[in-house]
Amino acid sequence: MDKEVKSVNQNQTFNLLATAASGLEALVGKELREMGIECQVENGRARFKGTLETIAKTNLWLRTADRVKIVVGEFKATTFEELFQQVKALPWEDYLPLDAAFPVAGKSIKSKLFSVSDCQAITKKAIVNRLREYYHRPSHVPLAETGALFQLEVALLKDQVMITLDTTGPSLFKRGYRVDKGGAPLKENMAAALVMLTNWRKDRPFIDPVCGSGTLCIEAALIGHNIAPGFNRSFACENWDWFSSEIFEKVRAEAEAAADYDIELDIQGMDINGKMIEIAKANAEEVGLSHSITFKQQAVKDFKTDKEYGVIVANPPYGERLGEQDSVRQLYHEMGQVFHPLDTWSKYILTSDLAFEEFYGQKATKKRKLYNGALRTDLFQYWGKRPPRNQEATKEVRK
């Protein structure tokens, strides 16, 4: 009779990672700490410990991370034999049922074992050998791999090996609300990060004057309503037989109870392109937030507002494509002219054009380096005047 994968104790503690784009690790760490989870921020990730419920909760709630992974093992290896033996020594039967589909991704940086394809093949072979022995399978019969997906990765950095199991599935930026995306959209977790890097509060106006498919506005609305970003999707670990469905039912019910659908938000998105406005409206409709966001077709140069103490967040075109730079720099100039009189507003503009300030016509209060995909960008921040103290106090009472 075949042995089943061991049932996991609901209180078992796992070593976990939340991976993130370069420049966003500290935000992921902040999100984890706000959930009451102690963590250690490293380059491109935050490390933490937790139970199955922690895995479910972080997948559901992390706005700025890419994935949540279980660290199956860590060790040093400088030969393929060391790699093979140490991978084989890990308790794979605790994770992988007999029919598990377990592809092995790989990467190697500054390590003696620099051939990624060889590291992947040896890791795979070691796991197969371990599972064959555990499940009493003959060596000439391949494992079926027809069951649930257990995506593994072998990552080497300076001869230190880390083997991880991805609990997320498609990256966390795939929230499930994007009906259409138009040109070069901002990933949802990057958009959430931009909102979280501002001084916006939900009782203040929020405007994206070049909103494209509406991602910044939608992420701001999700934050404003305290809606879990993963509420509209499923995760790879939900298909694992040792991950009880009751855990996700519990964290989803808690997330539903935590959402504040009644709060009125003042969020506006504008774009010169009417087709993009239609896409933005469809995306907001899909996520159930069309009542919280106003989208309208408008050029930046025509923008004006009488409101005060708001926040403008913009991800304008960067002018990376041939022949676009002049028109994009003209747009930066128009932004400067239109936004400059709004001295109570804070403005945050993301671009890869290092000469942005020259065309905008003002030095930024502060700049922050971020990576939008593989592209190095800067978030140019222009901080507005603070509201008078009595107005602040009134708003605090109202919150």
Side-chain angles (χ1 to χ4, degrees):
M1 192 174 120
D2 290 339
K3 297 180 188 174
E4 289 301 312
V5 73
K6 293 175 186 172
S7 62
V8 174
N9 179 335
Q10 301 225 352
N11 297 317
Q12 182 180 332
T13 301
F14 296 88
N15 290 321
L16 302 168
L17 292 179
T19 63
S22 183
L24 300 188
E25 309 92 338
L27 274 181
V28 174
K30 183 168 179 274
E31 286 193 85
L32 286 166
R33 289 184 195 108
E34 282 171 359
M35 284 188 223
I37 299 167
E38 282 300 307
C39 66
Q40 182 185 337
V41 174
E42 300 176 356
N43 196 13
R45 65 195 183 203
R47 285 180 181 258
F48 58 107
K49 292 180 188 292
T51 61
L52 294 177
E53 187 172 328
T54 315
I55 292 170
K57 200 170 173 183
T58 49
N59 270 304
L60 197 68
W61 277 101
L62 284 175
R63 297 183 191 278
T64 58
D66 284 325
R67 297 176 182 284
V68 176
K69 296 178 162 195
I70 295 170
V71 180
V72 181
E74 292 181 89
F75 49 83
K76 187 176 182 181
T78 54
T79 68
F80 288 130
E81 181 60 21
E82 282 179 343
L83 178 65
F84 179 87
Q85 293 300 344
Q86 293 190 85
V87 171
K88 192 182 174 193
L90 295 169
W92 290 106
E93 62 278 3
D94 290 355
Y95 300 96
L96 305 179
L98 178 57
D99 66 348
F102 56 102
V104 179
K107 60 185 179 189
S108 178
I109 300 165
K110 296 179 182 170
S111 298
K112 286 196 176 72
L113 302 180
F114 58 83
S115 167
V116 174
S117 56
D118 285 338
C119 291
Q120 288 169 274
I122 283 160
T123 300
K124 180 84 178 184
K125 185 180 175 187
I127 300 167
V128 167
N129 280 22
R130 171 96 182 194
L131 293 179
R132 275 204 178 117
E133 288 172 14
Y134 182 79
Y135 291 115
H136 306 302
R137 281 291 174 271
S139 59
H140 62 277
V141 180
L143 298 179
E145 297 205 43
T146 53
L149 175 66
F150 293 78
Q151 178 65 60
L152 301 170
E153 184 184 57
V154 53
L156 287 85
L157 175 63
K158 297 180 181 170
D159 300 326
Q160 288 297 320
V161 182
M162 181 187 281
I163 312 279
T164 55
L165 168 59
D166 175 33
T167 70
T168 301
S171 175
L172 289 174
F173 79 80
K174 296 194 173 176
R175 313 278 206 233
Y177 63 71
R178 209 189 270 283
V179 179
D180 199 346
K181 59 187 180 190
L186 197 61
K187 283 182 177 172
E188 289 83 341
N189 51 3
M190 181 68 163
L194 293 185
V195 176
M196 290 163 72
L197 287 169
T198 72
N199 62 351
W200 180 65
R201 298 208 314 243
K202 45 196 167 188
D203 56 1
R204 304 258 178 93
F206 179 99
I207 289 175
D208 178 356
V210 283
C211 70
S213 59
T215 312
L216 276 164
C217 293
I218 291 169
E219 291 296 323
L222 288 172
I223 290 168
H225 286 296
N226 197 37
I227 295 170
F231 82 101
N232 211 19
R233 58 162 287 175
S234 58
F235 303 95
C237 57
E238 292 184 74
N239 297 317
W240 302 347
D241 55 5
W242 48 269
F243 208 114
S244 166
S245 60
E246 290 169 11
I247 293 169
F248 267 97
E249 283 166 21
K250 177 175 184 267
V251 297
R252 285 197 174 100
E254 287 170 353
E256 182 66 28
D260 180 357
Y261 295 107
D262 300 326
I263 190 169
E264 286 190 26
L265 302 174
D266 183 356
I267 299 175
Q268 285 185 285
M270 298 93 163
D271 202 281
I272 196 168
N273 183 336
K275 182 172 182 289
M276 293 310 298
I277 291 297
E278 292 310 310
I279 290 171
K281 284 179 177 175
N283 288 337
E285 183 76 35
E286 176 65 21
V287 80
L289 291 173
S290 47
H291 63 286
S292 298
I293 309 168
T294 306
F295 288 112
K296 67 174 180 178
Q297 184 176 2
Q298 186 183 63
V300 167
K301 61 183 170 55
D302 299 326
F303 172 77
K304 48 181 156 317
T305 181
D306 296 328
K307 293 171 184 172
E308 290 188 308
Y309 304 108
V311 171
I312 291 168
V313 187
N315 175 46
Y318 302 161
E320 293 281 327
R321 293 184 192 142
L322 208 59
E324 278 186 357
Q325 196 175 62
D326 289 349
S327 63
V328 165
R329 286 179 165 176
Q330 175 60 27
L331 174 66
Y332 298 161
H333 177 65
E334 289 169 2
M335 281 182 164
Q337 289 186 310
V338 170
F339 298 163
H340 188 67
L342 306 174
D343 60 356
T344 67
W345 284 69
S346 292
K347 305 103 182 175
Y348 299 80
I349 298 144
L350 186 75
T351 175
S352 63
D353 190 339
L354 296 176
F356 171 79
E357 291 160 305
E358 182 188 327
F359 296 94
Y360 184 81
Q362 189 184 354
K363 290 287 282 180
T365 315
K366 188 180 176 187
K367 290 191 291 189
R368 182 173 180 137
K369 182 170 75 171
L370 296 169
Y371 281 85
N372 186 2
L375 192 63
R376 150 77 197 267
T377 58
D378 281 283
L379 183 62
F380 293 88
Q381 305 174 39
Y382 297 87
W383 299 348
K385 290 178 184 170
R386 293 181 67 114
R389 285 201 70 91
N390 59 345
Q391 189 177 339
E392 282 280 290
T394 312
K395 290 205 165 174
E396 285 299 323
V397 170
R398 229 184 280 149
K399 270 170 77 179

